[in-house]
Amino acid sequence: MTAAALDDLRRSVVGRVIAPDDGDYDAARRSYNAAVDGRPAAIVRCTGTSDVAAAFEFARRNELEVAVRGGGHNPAGHCVCDGGVVIDLSAMRAVEVDGDGRVARSAGGATWLDFDSATQAFGLVTPGGVVGSTGVAGLTLGGGIGHLTAQLGLTCDSLVGAELVTPDGAVVHASADENSELLWALRGGGGNFGVATQLEFRLYPLDRVVGGLLTFGRDGVRDAFHRFRDVAASSLRELSVQAGLSVDESLAPVLTVAPCYTGRTADPEELRTLRSAGGLVDDAVRPHTFLEQQRVFDSPYGENRQYWKGHFVRELPDELIDILLARLVALGRPPGGMLIESLHGASKDGDGADGVVGFRHAAFNISAMATWQDPALDEQYVAWARGTAAAIEPWSLVGGYVNYMQADEPIDRVRAAFGADAFERLRALKSRYDPENVLRRNQNIPPL
Ligand SMILES: Cc1cc2nc3c(=O)[nH]c(=O)nc-3n(C[C@H](O)[C@H](O)[C@H](O)COP(=O)(O)OP(=O)(O)OC[C@H]3O[C@@H](n4cnc5c(N)ncnc54)[C@H](O)[C@@H]3O)c2cc1C
């Protein structure tokens, strides 16, 4: 990239342009996945729709690839590219709340911490992700599973409107009354249609929950895992619950269960059932604010290499639980972990007319999340995640979760995530809003 071209770009935008010579270039190009080491020609830290349009124009004129950065958490590292232009929304993080109208307008680069802090000031929530630094936009556009899924559904179910800049620089709005087909696609179809500069969400009253983490170890893990499965399967809508499997230093399995209860009972039976499992080594579940619940999980940014692969499953029988526990120690060293997200409750209310997510009928989403640091171990860890996903596959219902997919997923898995008919409908929309497939660093929907 010539200095003159970069100067042109700098003159055409209000926000900063970060180039390889700048001191903060390495920090600005960092992705959540340390295995992805893209070196873009320019990172445009946009301030609004006209900066986004100018960045698209610059990329087109110079025939450069485009990447979009929201919260930078996609495990495939899609927020950065090699030699191209990053449309970086990390300076666009304002969240405006209309408390009376119960609506929030979130700028395209806001994180869940930004969003929850703003909405909780009004005692309101939307069902978001479980790690505060994850981007609101990226997570919502791929579906969104979190601490309130059973109560309030997927994040994308609460998306009621959006402002997008399409690759030709046009500003497009989507809502129930305007471009409703586009709104349908944004509820699960990812960042394929344009850069979302604003997203509008429905809000619900909530400020306190009973939540936190229960940790099980020793020989109680299998029993606790069964109870987690049974509680999730029979749970009312007042309880969302997820579980994580990992190992301790001696490679012994550890199960972490994260309930989030919003009902009226002080001591609900489901929580008693979970707590009474053998092997409970730490009980940190208690009444606390929703903001505290949103801090239960944390994650270091850009420090570890990642490879995630999984399936939505129709059931979680004892046989599959035994397989998961065996896979946990199969690598002979800590593999990272596995995440098991229950999809009971309100996420089942939506249907294909409301949004494009194809996994509502699944019982659980099970993901192998290989996490390591030494590049020499890449092959082993990738093989572990693939092998674990293959072991889960016999129970698989639809393709994987687009929000967790790596860049090497075949198009068939992306198609299966939506279903063949919905995928063709998405492709027709892609042809309309991004016919040249400029936005292809994502779980891609190719134009027709
Ligand atoms: C630590 C961690 C925790 C997570 N927790 C959850 C969770 O609780 N629930 C869940 O469902 N998922 C979760 N995820 C997955 C996450 O939702 C997806 O990886 C999502 O893509 C991240 O969005 P982002 O904006 O942070 O990422 P980025 O890497 O910045 O963006 C990912 C992709 O999203 C699209 N995108 C982002 N912003 C925009 C925008 N404004 N306009 C258009 N397209 C955009 C682009 O295609 C981009 O390539 C988690 C991931 C991590 C790493």
Side-chain angles (χ1 to χ4, degrees):
M1 179 58 41
T2 64
L6 276 174
D7 282 345
D8 271 355
L9 176 62
R10 287 197 169 99
R11 274 192 294 272
S12 70
V13 294
V14 177
R16 252 192 88 205
V17 174
I18 303 169
D21 289 345
D22 288 310
D24 54 353
Y25 175 74
D26 282 336
R29 70 184 180 89
R30 211 164 180 211
S31 106
Y32 178 78
N33 187 347
V36 177
D37 187 30
R39 299 188 63 83
I43 299 167
V44 184
R45 203 155 268 174
C46 299
T47 59
T49 53
S50 60
D51 281 1
V52 174
F56 271 131
E57 168 62 19
F58 177 79
R60 183 168 45 251
R61 228 181 313 121
N62 293 284
E63 297 181 352
L64 296 173
E65 191 184 9
V66 169
V68 179
R69 171 183 283 268
H73 273 58
N74 197 278
H78 284 319
C79 66
V80 66
C81 55
D82 237 348
V85 177
V86 175
I87 298 182
D88 179 348
L89 303 167
S90 62
M92 294 171 58
R93 290 170 55 175
V95 180
E96 284 169 30
V97 181
D98 171 358
D100 295 332
R102 292 199 179 160
V103 166
R105 279 174 211 88
S106 173
T111 64
W112 284 105
L113 187 58
D114 301 326
F115 189 93
D116 294 330
S117 310
T119 58
Q120 278 290 279
F122 293 81
L124 297 169
V125 290
T126 220
V130 301
V131 172
S133 49
T134 313
V136 170
L139 182 139
T140 304
L141 297 173
I145 303 169
H147 288 309
L148 296 172
T149 303
Q151 291 91 336
L152 298 170
L154 304 171
T155 310
C156 66
D157 295 338
S158 290
L159 180 72
V160 293
E163 174 188 77
L164 253 65
V165 181
T166 52
D168 62 359
V171 177
V172 177
H173 293 95
S175 68
D177 305 322
E178 192 181 4
N179 298 314
S180 58
E181 177 81 350
L182 180 58
L183 179 64
W184 168 82
L186 296 177
R187 289 177 171 161
N192 272 285
F193 309 98
V195 169
T197 42
Q198 289 276 335
L199 294 170
E200 195 171 310
F201 294 91
R202 200 179 297 128
L203 300 174
Y204 314 82
L206 181 75
D207 49 13
R208 290 189 73 77
V209 305
V210 177
L213 296 177
L214 298 170
T215 308
F216 301 88
R218 303 191 293 268
D219 48 9
V221 166
R222 180 174 279 105
D223 174 41
F225 201 167
H226 286 178
R227 286 180 194 230
F228 156 75
R229 182 260 327 266
D230 295 341
V231 160
S234 62
S235 264
L236 305 172
R237 289 174 180 232
E238 285 87 11
L239 178 70
S240 289
V241 61
Q242 307 188 350
L245 277 174
S246 56
V247 295
D248 65 17
E249 317 76 58
S250 64
L251 286 191
V254 174
L255 178 78
T256 309
V257 178
C260 179
Y261 174 76
T262 55
R264 289 169 194 275
T265 321
D267 185 21
E269 190 191 328
E270 286 88 350
L271 286 185
R272 266 184 278 130
T273 304
L274 286 171
R275 280 185 159 124
S276 59
L280 181 66
V281 292
D282 189 42
D283 181 349
V285 169
R286 57 179 186 277
H288 59 195
T289 64
F290 179 69
L291 281 178
E292 284 170 312
Q293 178 68 9
Q294 288 291 79
R295 288 192 208 104
V296 159
F297 291 114
D298 199 3
S299 185
Y301 189 84
E303 291 176 17
N304 295 310
R305 304 170 83 79
Q306 309 277 342
Y307 190 91
W308 299 5
K309 199 167 175 85
H311 290 282
F312 289 100
V313 296
R314 55 181 177 272
E315 56 177 343
L316 182 46
D318 294 356
E319 186 189 350
L320 179 52
I321 287 179
D322 287 344
I323 288 173
L324 295 179
L325 291 173
R327 288 298 307 171
L328 198 58
V329 294
L331 188 61
R333 51 161 63 93
M338 296 182 204
L339 176 65
I340 303 100
E341 295 161 301
S342 173
L343 289 164
H344 68 275
S347 61
K348 301 269 185 286
D349 294 348
D351 61 25
D354 300 323
V356 71
V357 283
F359 58 78
R360 289 181 194 280
H361 304 301
F364 295 93
N365 183 27
I366 307 182
S367 308
M369 294 169 157
T371 304
W372 71 105
Q373 290 192 327
D374 181 356
L377 298 175
D378 283 4
E379 237 173 74
Q380 284 184 43
Y381 274 82
V382 170
W384 175 81
R386 287 184 180 155
T388 303
I392 303 166
E393 196 167 359
W395 289 273
S396 165
L397 196 60
V398 287
Y401 186 26
V402 293
N403 269 350
Y404 297 169
M405 282 183 182
Q406 300 299 142
D408 61 359
E409 289 282 7
I411 189 167
D412 286 349
R413 279 258 290 174
V414 181
R415 182 189 290 111
F418 302 115
D421 291 348
F423 194 65
E424 288 312 297
R425 209 169 138 191
L426 288 170
R427 291 189 66 192
L429 279 166
K430 179 76 171 178
S431 303
R432 177 165 168 204
Y433 292 106
D434 182 18
E436 307 297 328
N437 205 6
V438 172
L439 294 166
R440 58 180 176 275
R441 279 196 69 76
N442 48 29
Q443 281 68 36
N444 196 233
I445 295 163
L448 286 171

